[in-house]
Amino acid sequence: MAANQPEISQAAPAQRSGKHRVVIIGSGFGGLFAAKEFKHADVEVTVIAKTTHHLFQPLLYQVATGILSQGEIAPPTREILAKQKNATVLLGEVTEIDLANKLVTSELLNRRTVTAYDSLIVAAGAGQSYFGNDQFAEFAPGMKSIDDALELRGRIFGAFELAEIGAARGENVDHLLTFVVVGAGPTGVEMAGQIAELARRTLKKDFRHIQSQKARVVLVDAAPQVLPPFGEKLGEKSQAALEKAGVEIVLGAMVTAVDERGLEMKFKDGTVKRIESVTKIWAAGVQASELGKTLSEQTGAELDRAGRIAVNGDLTLPNHPEVFVVGDMINLNHLPGVAQVAIQGAKHSAKTIKARLAGKPEPGAFKYFDKGSMATISRFNAVVSVGKIKMAGFIAWLMWLVVHLAYITGFRNRLTAVLHWLMSFIGRDRSERTTTMQQIFARSALERIEGGAAGLVSEPGEMDALLEERRRELEEQALEEARLTDAHERGVAAQ
Ligand SMILES: Cc1cc2nc3c(=O)[nH]c(=O)nc-3n(C[C@H](O)[C@H](O)[C@H](O)COP(=O)(O)OP(=O)(O)OC[C@H]3O[C@@H](n4cnc5c(N)ncnc54)[C@H](O)[C@@H]3O)c2cc1C
């Protein structure tokens, strides 16, 4: 909270009707679908989130690469819930959850709001993890928010502009035309594929001094394969397709240093390699919301290394049947951090609350129905894994198109997304190439205001040990992901 400003506390205005009060933290997949599930219920719903929008994260990479606008993937939560009369939307960052007194405290600038609940659904998601190297963020932004995507858009298109100026002066611009994506999961693969396409198709005729199609796109991961959650075979196919699209793939490489001009990677045999690259994108790890920590402290529920909280089978917290945690924040039965886990968990929690209020039997343990995973590699090429069906290519891409269209919120956004896709995939245009100085430099400015990231840098000796441990963890995690997918074990309750 800003110094010298009065703190304003109040009870949320929607809390005076005497009805059962459901408070939902987050307006992402978990939060929004939970709120909607109460549409016809005789309860009072308050959705508290730190952003004004519901973000469709799976398409962030298309905002970053100029295909879609931010509005198309991030409609205002207030607008989505406008017709749901029992729902109130409150903008603010939740800073405290008091389980004993059933209170949630949120802050917006100097306004502090305390909201009382009878039932609580926590769906605050996850942020980017730099595995203890938060100082990397300044030079390799992650992709978790609209701010991130717009900043990356500015950096990607800006790098081509700088290269054009440098080339006109006869300078070496290889570092400007080298793009490195760290993390070969779905986000990294989609991002690398799209940058390659941007360079090879969209920008091909736009410059006079550089040949954009010669840009280098490198995808780096410490794991031994790309797309571990899709299993080994699809991983291999995806790798071949990416390479055909012009993406260089470097596996078994742990990123150990990142700076303005490039990054360093360390291999298992101890070799260190450096790539000179001005534009780096971090798509390598997630860290669950900090709110998990306060819930863990108050209930004794364990947190794993990614900050995810162990919940009961019905998604409640130990000794707090009125508190549910859903989505990316939970650690339950190897469930992956994907939208369907959040959506289905949110619906399950809402159904449990409604059953209790109606005096009906509760649905009991949460059973995840795995609808499969998909990722695009390039135009007309995707990978899909649904149960035993695994495919790559055009049909998979069509499936990707239909599913993503179905989940974009709002008819208007679906319509404009289709138009933008037609322009980008059949034509070669991208209509959302606008970038601003604020988008590119705001992060650095904010970091300076907040005192910089210098304090986060650890001692050099300390780092080496941490990194080796991290490499082992990442390798094990990737192998486990591939094993779970190949063995169809995902989401099966532990015996
Ligand atoms: C780039 C990217 C691509 C992805 N692609 C796919 C994909 O193709 N398929 C797929 O299934 N999944 C994908 N995912 C994962 C999927 O988006 C998540 O699993 C899903 O969003 C999790 O839902 P959630 O409700 O738990 O969290 P989120 O959707 O992240 O929502 C969290 C909400 O909580 C709010 N919040 C956080 N902290 C606070 C706080 N302290 N106070 C108030 N509000 C707070 C946020 O503003 C947000 O509204 C992708 C994720 C990313 C980042």
Side-chain angles (χ1 to χ4, degrees), residues 407-428:
Y407 277 95
I408 290 181
T409 306
F411 176 73
R412 189 187 55 209
N413 286 342
R414 279 188 205 127
L415 192 70
T416 57
V418 167
L419 284 177
H420 284 146
W421 285 344
L422 283 174
M423 280 164 64
S424 304
F425 299 143
I426 295 179
R428 60 172 200 101

Side-chain angles (χ1 to χ4, degrees), residues 12-14 44-48 78 81 84-90:
E44 219 172 57
V45 178
T46 306
V47 178
I48 309 175
R78 204 171 280 295
L81 294 175
Q84 187 173 325
K85 294 280 181 251
N86 65 0
T88 299
V89 177
L90 187 64

Side-chain angles (χ1 to χ4, degrees), residues 80-340:
I80 303 169
L81 294 175
K83 290 191 183 139
Q84 187 173 325
K85 294 280 181 251
N86 65 0
T88 299
V89 177
L90 187 64
L91 179 64
E93 177 158 7
V94 171
T95 50
E96 282 172 49
I97 302 173
D98 177 350
L99 294 184
N101 295 302
K102 299 188 181 174
L103 297 173
V104 171
T105 302
S106 55
E107 289 183 19
L108 179 65
L109 299 177
N110 63 332
R111 269 94 177 147
R112 172 181 285 214
T113 306
V114 179
T115 310
Y117 63 84
D118 298 306
S119 295
L120 176 66
I121 301 177
V122 187
Q128 204 73 60
S129 167
Y130 286 85
F131 310 125
N133 297 296
D134 288 2
Q135 73 278 11
F136 291 177
E138 188 178 353
F139 310 113
M143 207 169 41
K144 284 283 174 192
S145 64
I146 289 291
D147 274 339
D148 291 340
L150 291 177
E151 180 182 1
L152 283 171
R153 186 197 283 176
R155 288 188 183 205
I156 294 165
F157 286 98
F160 285 102
E161 295 298 338
L162 282 170
E164 174 79 350
I165 293 174
R169 296 173 177 190
E171 293 166 11
N172 179 346
V173 291
D174 291 350
H175 60 300
L176 289 163
L177 290 178
T178 300
F179 300 84
V180 181
V181 180
V182 184
T187 302
V189 162
E190 289 177 328
M191 194 68 193
Q194 271 313 314
I195 300 176
E197 216 155 74
L198 184 68
R200 278 160 186 68
R201 273 171 50 81
T202 312
L203 300 179
K204 205 166 78 177
K205 296 186 184 152
D206 291 11
F207 292 94
R208 302 290 170 258
H209 299 282
I210 56 167
Q211 287 180 289
S212 68
Q213 62 272 35
K214 293 204 171 151
R216 224 180 131 197
V217 183
V218 189
L219 181 62
V220 178
D221 203 304
Q225 74 158 87
V226 301
L227 291 178
F230 288 75
E232 213 174 309
K233 273 199 185 141
L234 277 190
E236 281 165 13
K237 279 194 179 171
S238 309
Q239 178 165 351
L242 280 167
E243 284 169 343
K244 198 170 163 216
V247 178
E248 281 173 48
I249 296 179
V250 185
L251 297 171
M254 181 93 181
V255 173
T256 50
V258 184
D259 56 49
E260 263 173 18
R261 290 279 294 217
L263 55 71
E264 265 177 29
M265 308 170 293
K266 195 172 176 186
F267 293 82
K268 243 184 175 170
D269 60 5
T271 338
V272 176
K273 276 194 186 150
R274 183 175 166 88
I275 305 179
E276 296 297 331
S277 158
V278 166
T279 314
K280 285 89 52 189
I281 296 135
W282 194 266
V286 290
Q287 185 69 28
S289 157
E290 280 283 304
L291 293 178
K293 204 167 154 216
T294 174
L295 296 175
S296 163
E297 283 163 4
Q298 294 175 66
T299 60
E302 259 181 53
L303 289 185
D304 68 7
R305 294 214 42 172
R308 297 177 310 166
I309 192 162
V311 289
N312 296 329
D314 63 353
L315 303 177
T316 60
L317 288 178
N319 301 319
H320 285 277
E322 76 286 5
V323 182
F324 298 79
V325 188
V326 301
D328 282 2
M329 287 185 70
I330 63 165
N331 175 14
L332 178 72
N333 300 336
H334 302 300
L335 290 177
V338 295
Q340 276 301 326

